[in-house]
């Protein structure tokens, strides 16, 4: 989400966002693990998660749940040792009338098992079809009020991350 990266550069000092592409991960298959190692794409992904202080999940809703590539990534990173453990996290989504809230709820349930700690407020879900127009033709968030809500989520995630890390 390009706008989240821009917001962090401008207003969330001390927080940096890196987009992690999960499209190259093979479908979860423990037979691909050998000698305590994962396939190279999985190793690289797991290392990025391990190095992150917190996680911002950006996902559409798919059949009342998270998109399959995201679930696949979560499963790979949860293989022992679980690299999600004790990470602060937030979720943003957009979609139809529910704005992806059902996917967010399911992701929170998954997060309990993999030991992620989600911020509770503010929530961020966008009905992309409800006026005013929220996204331009390239899919970038352009509506000012929605951008402000996203900034609030990022600020809350940053504060929560610092709190979890302790003094």
């Amino acid at each position: 989400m390009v706008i989240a990266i821009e917001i962090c550069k401008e207003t969330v000092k001390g927080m940096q966002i890196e987009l992690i592409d999960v499209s190259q991960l093979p479908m979860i298959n423990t037979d691909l693990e050998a000698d305590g190692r994962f396939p190279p794409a999985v190793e690289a992904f797991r290392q990025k998660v391990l190095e992150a202080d917190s996680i911002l999940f950006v996902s559409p809703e798919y059949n009342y749940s998270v998109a399959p590539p995201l679930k696949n990534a979560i499963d790979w990173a949860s293989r022992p040792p679980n690299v999600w453990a004790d990470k602060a996290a937030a979720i943003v989504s957009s979609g139809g009338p529910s704005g992806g809230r059902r996917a967010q709820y399911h992701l929170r349930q998954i997060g309990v098992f993999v030991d992620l700690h989600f911020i509770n407020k503010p929530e961020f879900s966008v009905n992309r079809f409800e006026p005013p127009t929220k996204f331009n033709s390239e899919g970038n968030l352009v509506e000012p009020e929605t951008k402000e809500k996203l900034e609030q989520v990022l600020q809350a995630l940053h504060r929560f991350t610092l709190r979890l890390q302790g003094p």
Side-chain angles (χ1 to χ4, degrees), residues 72-137:
N72 185 55
I74 291 168
D75 291 344
W76 272 121
S78 71
R79 297 289 300 146
N82 173 18
V83 296
W84 298 115
D86 292 322
K87 301 275 185 196
I91 312 166
V92 298
S93 62
S94 72
S98 79
R101 286 188 296 275
R102 293 173 294 218
Q104 287 194 22
Y105 181 65
H106 192 203
L107 183 53
R108 286 175 179 275
Q109 290 174 314
I110 295 165
V112 169
F113 183 78
V114 299
D115 202 22
L116 281 164
H117 305 290
F118 288 100
I119 63 169
N120 291 318
K121 300 283 183 206
E123 295 178 326
F124 185 93
S125 58
V126 177
N127 178 341
R128 69 179 303 128
F129 306 107
E130 180 180 77
T133 301
K134 311 279 188 306
F135 300 91
N136 65 16
S137 60

